[in-house]
């Protein structure tokens, strides 16, 4: 008889070199659901080791019998165990040589670590959520900075057009027949700037990706000609001639954003062109 103290903390199970004659203490009975008398003489692998691990367990015992070597003696292992009802759960296991009447016997000390693993998983999940939240906050901050930088650039474009036409009107360099054209350009650019200010107030919609653009049918020439009117004062200041050759083609787009796109294109072209040159915008249709 092997005597394993029932007062020991955790489940203690003794086996011989063949993996049989398990000795359960009371904690092992409670942990695995077997009565001690019912399992004496049975192979432990059939009792508490999951089916997927039994072959490795038997191979380890064979290797220990033949060579006296073991890869797990004295180590603290975490693995799966199986209850009488077939349910699996994680345990911490330490195996030592048993100093008793049978040669080559072992004692396994097992402890249920379900709660510990659950707490570790909850902690890891919390860390993942915190890291994700930090990454989201960083991305939102970066997107906000990029949006504000782009918005400041967008605001300058219509503002420059308003100031340019206003200065020309004030200085009297605009011919009488061109005054309505100048006033119209000022109005359109002021309205565009007003819309962009509204967009800035709705910054959260851009950050969260909820911003929506209203689309409507319009002529392809409309946003291009509006952009040319806006940058005309800057072009005239550098004696740059603007030419547009775009067919009258209908499309669906945003009446505010398309002119902004062409403002940027033509505005940069004027900015980086030498004085006295010519800028030409040509459009063509392809396919049906």
């Amino acid at each position: 008889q092997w005597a394993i103290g029932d007062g020991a903390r955790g489940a203690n199970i003794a086996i011989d070199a063949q993996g049989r004659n398990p000795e359960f203490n009371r904690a092992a009975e409670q942990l695995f659901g077997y009565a001690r008398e019912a399992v004496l003489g049975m192979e432990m692998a059939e009792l508490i080791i999951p089916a997927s691990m039994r072959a490795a367990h038997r191979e380890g015992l064979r290797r220990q019998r033949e060579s006296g070597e073991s890869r797990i003696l004295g180590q603290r292992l975490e693995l799966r165990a199986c209850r009488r009802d077939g349910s699996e759960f994680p345990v911490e296991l330490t195996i030592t040589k048993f100093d008793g009447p049978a040669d080559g016997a072992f004692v396994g000390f097992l402890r249920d670590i379900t709660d510990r693993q659950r707490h570790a998983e909850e902690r890891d999940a919390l860390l993942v959520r915190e890291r994700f939240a930090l990454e989201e906050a960083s991305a939102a901050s970066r997107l906000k900075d990029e949006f504000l930088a782009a918005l400041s650039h967008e605001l300058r474009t219509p503002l420059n057009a308003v100031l340019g036409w206003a200065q020309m009107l004030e200085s009297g360099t605009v011919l009488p027949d061109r005054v309505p054209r100048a006033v119209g350009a000022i109005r359109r650019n002021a309205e565009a700037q007003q819309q962009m200010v509204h967009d800035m107030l709705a910054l959260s919609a851009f950050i969260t990706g909820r911003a929506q653009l209203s689309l409507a049918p319009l002529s392809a020439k409309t946003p291009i000609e509006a952009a040319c009117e806006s940058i005309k004062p800057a072009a005239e200041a550098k004696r740059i001639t603007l030419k547009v050759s775009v067919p009258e083609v209908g499309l669906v787009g945003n009446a505010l954003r398309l002119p902004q796109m062409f403002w940027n294109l033509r505005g940069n072209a004027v900015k980086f062109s030498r004085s006295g040159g010519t800028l030409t915008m040509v459009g063509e249709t392809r396919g049906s």
Side-chain angles (χ1 to χ4, degrees), residues 50-85:
S52 60
M53 300 172 57
R54 290 171 187 168
H57 165 74
R58 290 164 178 153
E59 174 60 23
L61 281 176
R62 183 195 64 78
R63 185 171 55 250
Q64 203 282 332
R65 289 195 303 268
E66 294 178 357
S67 65
E69 298 178 356
S70 175
R71 300 175 184 175
I72 62 174
L73 282 179
Q75 298 186 45
R76 182 172 295 180
L77 310 172
E78 291 187 6
L79 41 79
R80 307 288 294 179
C82 185
R83 294 188 178 91
R84 181 180 179 182
D85 63 7

Side-chain angles (χ1 to χ4, degrees), residues 8 11 18 48 68 91 94 135 175-176 184-185 188 205 237 242 246 252 254 256 287:
Q18 304 301 319
I48 68 170
V91 296
T94 303
E135 291 174 353
L175 297 176
R188 285 194 302 274
L242 298 177
V246 178
V252 176
N254 183 269
L256 174 65

Side-chain angles (χ1 to χ4, degrees), residues 118-149:
R118 184 178 67 252
H119 293 156
E121 291 171 357
E122 291 174 351
R123 182 195 63 222
D124 292 343
L126 179 60
L127 291 174
V128 169
R129 288 196 297 270
E130 289 179 348
R131 184 169 63 248
F132 182 71
L134 287 174
E135 291 174 353
E136 275 196 326
S138 177
S141 178
R142 184 172 61 254
L143 182 58
K144 181 182 68 175
D145 292 342
E146 292 174 356
F147 171 74
L148 290 176

Side-chain angles (χ1 to χ4, degrees), residues 24 27 32 53 66 99 111 122 130 143 155 161 176 200 226 264:
F24 275 33
F32 292 101
M53 300 172 57
E66 294 178 357
D99 187 13
R111 183 173 58 173
E122 291 174 351
E130 289 179 348
L143 182 58
L155 287 172
M200 182 177 62
N264 290 332

